[in-house]
Amino acid sequence: MDKEEQAMMGLWNIFKKRMWLDSFKMKDRLKGYNPSEIHCIAYIGKDEDSNVTKLAESFDMTRGAISKLTKKLVKKGLIESYQKLNNNKEVYFKPTEQGKAIYNIHEEMHKEFKDRDQPFFEQVTEKQLDVILDFAEKYNIHLDTEIKKLGVDIKFDKL
């Protein structure tokens, strides 16, 4: 295995381990909710005036899939829909009190994950972080170019 493959494998392993650790704890604290529901609530909690279009773009899902997800969240009492006085065509979403509780747990968990990893990052130098950030930026630009060649417009930066 060459260094490029080792680097990609190392990044992939970091991603898988982090996802496993995070989801292990989230599954315990957020029982009864699937990841798409939790992340939709989190997005709506952070982004005032969330609507189907914004959510579809953010999650790279169809508007139909988002409509189905938001209807499910409304039915569960986690979000509610509303319209603005000057725009009765567009439907927006905001979390209910129950949805805010889920949002707060989600935010607390992200803080816990950051705190868990902080001792490691305290050992990483500014120069090392700059190298990683430079690599990530350049590789993302490369991948965006490859995606555009396929004629697809996907935005992953909100996830």
Side-chain angles (χ1 to χ4, degrees):
M1 187 180 320
D2 66 20
K3 281 191 176 185
E4 289 171 13
E5 291 171 317
Q6 287 176 338
M8 294 307 292
M9 185 64 72
L11 292 171
W12 181 243
N13 285 334
I14 289 168
F15 176 76
K16 288 190 306 184
K17 289 173 186 176
R18 171 105 193 257
M19 292 301 294
W20 186 88
L21 274 171
D22 294 359
S23 68
F24 181 79
K25 287 196 171 215
M26 282 202 173
K27 284 177 188 172
D28 183 51
R29 297 255 326 261
L30 294 167
K31 283 183 184 138
Y33 304 102
N34 67 44
S36 61
E37 292 171 332
I38 295 164
H39 287 109
C40 189
I41 293 166
Y43 185 94
I44 291 168
K46 279 186 180 146
D47 187 53
E48 200 172 300
D49 295 336
S50 293
N51 60 24
V52 169
T53 302
K54 279 184 177 182
L55 290 164
E57 288 174 2
S58 176
F59 293 109
D60 188 34
M61 293 172 69
T62 64
R63 290 168 46 112
I66 291 295
S67 289
K68 187 175 177 181
L69 177 58
T70 53
K71 283 178 186 172
K72 186 177 175 183
L73 293 173
V74 168
K75 189 174 180 179
K76 286 185 170 188
L78 299 169
I79 63 171
E80 58 189 6
S81 61
Y82 68 95
Q83 293 179 305
K84 293 182 179 182
L85 292 175
N86 60 348
N87 181 357
N88 43 349
K89 178 183 170 190
E90 191 66 53
V91 175
Y92 299 93
F93 303 101
K94 62 183 178 182
T96 62
E97 288 305 312
Q98 186 181 351
K100 287 177 187 174
I102 298 298
Y103 172 81
N104 289 335
I105 291 169
H106 180 261
E107 291 301 301
E108 286 170 21
M109 302 227 42
H110 276 284
K111 185 183 179 327
E112 286 176 28
F113 302 151
K114 184 176 169 80
D115 291 347
R116 172 198 67 204
D117 295 340
Q118 193 58 41
F120 169 79
F121 283 104
E122 287 172 359
Q123 301 171 31
V124 177
T125 67
E126 195 75 23
K127 185 176 179 181
Q128 289 170 322
L129 283 174
D130 287 341
V131 169
I132 293 167
L133 290 170
D134 183 58
F135 170 82
E137 179 183 1
K138 288 176 180 172
Y139 194 48
N140 272 302
I141 290 168
H142 164 72
L143 294 175
D144 288 342
T145 301
E146 293 301 312
I147 291 168
K148 283 180 185 168
K149 285 181 186 177
L150 299 174
V152 180
D153 184 27
I154 298 176
K155 293 174 179 64
F156 289 96
D157 54 323
K158 291 266 185 164
L159 299 175

